[in-house]
Amino acid sequence: MPNSKKYREYFDIDERYFPCIDAAAIDAGAPWENTYPHSTFIDMLTEMERALARQNNGRTLWIEGAYGTGKSQCALALRRILEVPEEELRAYWDRYEPLKKKTDLLEKLIGHKKKGIVVANRYASGGIMSARDLFFSIQESVKAALVRQNISYLGENTLKESVIAWMEDVDHMLMFNSLLQNPDKEWRASFSQSTADEVLKELRKNGEVKSLVNNIFRLANKEGITALTIDSDRLIAWLTDILDRNNTRIVFIWDEFSDYFKNNRESLSEFQKVAALVQNKPFYFVVVTHEPQQIYVADNDRGNQSKVSDRFISMPIALPDNIAFNLIGHAFNVKPPAKEQWDIFADDLNSRINNSCSKVMEVAKITEPQVIKDIMPLHPMAALLLKNIASAFKSNQRSMFDFIKSSNTDDVKAFQWFIENTGPYDDRPLLTVDMLWNFFYEKGRNHLTPDIRLILDTFPQQENLREDEKAVLKAILIMQAIDQRLGGTIDLFKAT
């Protein structure tokens, strides 16, 4: 009787392998130190250091990259590099050969950290429908970062101007007054003032108002008052006050910022006003988008196009093919008791596809055969297609990382399904290109771009095909689809 062991008995997927870096992954502790320092990532760190040193004409960073390039992972790593203790940063630097050659960059970054950096962050901008939403979100995120890093002065002197402007509205005064005088509320004991008018008079004085402003914002948070008036001038005044009084620098990293431009096409003027603060003060508004900077700027207010471009350095993030293979291999955790047996199986699987291995290694610029062995039982051609698969979708619904980590809860039949149902003794022990079909087309069709769907929709139109013919056709169509999306740049994807 043939051995029926499945791959899952020999290795598993790293629990800390996150297919997509989003707010949930960050909250769950996605490991930033797994970020491989490829060339575009090092370029990004270098430009961030130059920005902090005020060596790039008062500009900040615009990080851009297509789905599946790992730009969010890079943005997370940038944030952590600026946040973590020196020992943790040095440990990360010592972990990777490309960084060991950049000791000067390390020492410069550590020097900046010692002088004081407040790191604020935000993820997604779909809910930002106006300039006021933008200003409020920046203020909210920066204030949270100040509290997180135990900064004592939170800009109360300038925050009070926003509160005054809000309270000068008659309806707001009536609402605030009713809250202060409601016996069922806690605010009577919190405020020494008994009416909204008394609060407003106190705010207008030149004395210390930190305690009063804190009480007002505590009331606003608890009562759901989120509309305290703020405009670009007040926000800039508040940020300037914080930077000057605390003698610090602020790096604000906003990932998934693309939707802001879709929702606010009418003008870039308010956005560029805030971004322009970097020219006079060390406030670095770092945005992360899917498309290059010029796409968003050109589609919006042309009058502000050059102004916005002058505020940012475009930092395109690209994931080299050889690094993608490394990342796949690092996700596979071989179980210690099974390591010796697994090495034998991996060598055997590898030896069956010598020609494919050499071709893929050449295209992906992989020099170490071990890299290919480490991705077994994933066929190297399937791995190369996976690396480029996100380009065919209109979102990050499908990517190389997603394929590796996806469970089979929605019947996608991705990698984890494969290792649970296949073993080294099976007739087809390798996950080949045709086996991407379910993940790529059957379950992902609605997210594909129209030109890609047109190619793949050929398959359902065929009748009376044998199983082996179906497998070949699926592989050819996937290769054609990715070849078209990449503009024919990889000859290996041209089916023969």
Side-chain angles (χ1 to χ4, degrees):
M1 180 179 176
N3 193 308
S4 60
K5 281 191 174 183
K6 305 304 180 188
Y7 286 123
R8 180 71 82 183
E9 298 181 50
Y10 299 97
F11 68 89
D12 214 331
I13 305 301
D14 188 348
E15 286 297 320
R16 281 161 57 84
Y17 182 85
F18 286 82
C20 176
I21 296 298
D22 54 17
I26 293 169
D27 291 342
W32 73 272
E33 62 274 14
N34 286 359
T35 308
Y36 188 88
H38 50 74
S39 59
T40 53
F41 176 73
I42 293 176
D43 289 344
M44 180 193 72
L45 293 183
T46 301
E47 288 300 335
M48 188 73 249
E49 188 284 316
R50 294 188 72 248
L52 291 168
R54 313 296 286 179
Q55 292 177 347
N56 55 10
N57 300 319
R59 291 186 293 170
T60 183
L61 305 191
W62 186 309
I63 301 170
E64 56 199 43
Y67 292 109
T69 55
K71 65 185 177 304
S72 290
Q73 179 73 46
C74 291
L76 172 62
L78 173 61
R79 171 187 162 190
R80 297 297 192 215
I81 282 170
L82 297 176
E83 285 179 333
V84 299
E86 180 180 334
E87 315 81 69
E88 192 173 338
L89 178 54
R90 288 190 182 278
Y92 173 68
W93 224 262
D94 289 339
R95 184 174 175 180
Y96 298 99
E97 288 301 320
L99 289 178
K100 290 178 182 178
K101 303 171 186 175
K102 297 287 182 179
T103 53
D104 57 332
L105 177 58
L106 171 64
E107 297 305 328
K108 287 177 182 177
L109 287 170
I110 289 173
H112 290 306
K113 286 159 65 70
K114 286 179 178 177
K115 291 177 184 176
I117 300 174
V118 172
V119 184
N121 67 283
R122 199 170 185 93
Y123 186 91
S125 59
I128 310 300
M129 306 303 293
S130 66
R132 190 180 71 174
D133 289 344
L134 176 70
F135 303 146
F136 183 79
S137 297
I138 292 172
Q139 187 179 63
E140 181 182 55
S141 299
V142 170
K143 186 179 179 185
L146 294 167
V147 171
R148 190 167 60 244
Q149 294 179 227
N150 297 315
I151 304 296
S152 57
Y153 179 65
L154 304 180
E156 291 83 3
N157 291 342
T158 44
L159 278 176
K160 78 172 184 179
E161 299 303 324
S162 296
V163 177
I164 289 171
W166 183 83
M167 290 190 68
E168 284 175 339
D169 181 278
V170 174
D171 290 337
H172 295 163
M173 280 281 279
L174 290 171
M175 185 201 333
F176 201 92
N177 212 48
S178 66
L179 288 170
L180 274 185
Q181 298 183 6
N182 189 333
D184 296 328
K185 298 288 186 179
E186 63 187 270
W187 308 119
R188 278 187 177 184
S190 299
F191 288 82
S192 60
Q193 302 81 14
S194 57
T195 66
D197 189 56
E198 289 179 12
V199 170
L200 190 55
K201 286 179 180 177
E202 188 67 28
L203 287 171
R204 285 172 173 159
K205 292 179 181 178
N206 292 325
E208 176 60 55
V209 293
K210 177 176 180 177
S211 177
L212 176 58
V213 169
N214 283 343
N215 273 340
I216 291 170
F217 274 92
R218 192 164 61 86
L219 178 149
N221 288 337
K222 191 157 187 178
E223 300 295 342
I225 302 172
T226 59
L228 287 172
T229 301
I230 186 168
D231 58 21
S232 58
D233 291 336
R234 287 197 181 99
L235 176 65
I236 289 168
W238 179 69
L239 290 168
T240 300
D241 187 26
I242 288 167
L243 292 163
D244 290 347
R245 286 281 295 271
N246 292 303
N247 190 28
T248 191
R249 289 164 291 178
I250 297 174
V251 177
F252 181 19
I253 302 171
W254 195 325
D255 195 3
E256 290 290 340
F257 196 69
S258 305
D259 285 341
Y260 172 80
F261 299 105
K262 298 174 186 175
N263 297 337
N264 299 274
R265 293 182 179 277
E266 71 285 350
S267 174
L268 285 177
S269 58
E270 299 301 317
F271 165 70
Q272 78 87 16
K273 278 183 189 177
V274 179
L277 179 58
V278 72
Q279 292 191 314
N280 302 310
K281 296 292 178 180
F283 175 72
Y284 306 93
F285 189 2
V286 178
V287 299
V288 186
T289 62
H290 300 302
E291 301 286 353
Q293 176 195 140
Q294 61 265 28
I295 299 291
Y296 296 107
V297 174
D299 282 350
N300 286 270
D301 189 341
R302 293 182 181 275
N304 285 286
Q305 182 172 348
S306 62
K307 292 180 181 179
V308 172
S309 298
D310 289 345
R311 310 298 180 236
F312 292 94
I313 300 169
S314 290
M315 293 306 310
I317 297 296
L319 182 64
D321 292 335
N322 59 330
I323 304 305
F325 276 68
N326 269 318
L327 293 176
I328 293 173
H330 289 159
F332 300 172
N333 278 344
V334 178
K335 298 176 181 178
K339 187 177 187 315
E340 185 176 346
Q341 184 64 52
W342 175 247
D343 282 341
I344 295 171
F345 286 139
D347 283 333
D348 175 56
L349 292 170
N350 211 18
S351 68
R352 301 185 193 189
I353 49 173
N354 284 330
N355 186 51
S356 295
C357 288
S358 61
K359 294 287 187 184
V360 170
M361 287 177 67
E362 181 181 353
V363 169
K365 296 181 172 58
I366 296 170
T367 56
E368 295 296 327
Q370 184 66 37
V371 173
I372 297 293
K373 178 182 172 182
D374 286 344
I375 68 166
M376 292 293 117
L378 182 59
H379 193 288
M381 188 68 173
L384 188 61
L385 280 158
L386 268 176
K387 190 269 173 180
N388 293 284
I389 210 167
S391 66
F393 292 87
K394 293 177 287 187
S395 71
N396 60 356
Q397 295 289 329
R398 291 290 186 270
S399 71
M400 173 187 85
F401 308 107
D402 197 43
F403 182 81
I404 299 300
K405 190 65 184 273
S406 288
S407 64
N408 205 43
T409 51
D410 56 353
D411 196 31
V412 291
K413 294 186 179 177
F415 188 77
Q416 297 220 46
W417 175 88
F418 177 80
I419 64 174
E420 285 170 358
N421 292 276
T422 313
Y425 293 101
D426 285 17
D427 291 337
R428 295 190 64 189
L430 288 166
L431 194 157
T432 48
V433 174
D434 59 292
M435 295 181 188
L436 304 178
W437 186 262
N438 188 276
F439 175 84
F440 186 46
Y441 179 73
E442 295 290 348
K443 301 299 179 181
R445 185 176 183 274
N446 292 336
H447 299 289
L448 288 166
T449 54
D451 58 326
I452 297 300
R453 284 177 60 168
L454 190 63
I455 293 172
L456 301 182
D457 282 345
T458 304
F459 183 81
Q461 299 168 19
Q462 309 308 308
E463 297 178 356
N464 303 319
L465 294 180
R466 301 192 310 268
E467 288 305 310
D468 59 338
E469 291 172 331
K470 289 179 182 178
V472 171
L473 182 56
K474 287 176 180 177
I476 289 172
L477 292 175
I478 290 173
M479 290 167 66
Q480 283 185 328
I482 302 300
D483 180 56
Q484 174 164 307
R485 178 43 49 93
L486 299 179
T489 55
I490 298 179
D491 286 341
L492 203 54
F493 290 168
K494 299 183 188 307
T496 60

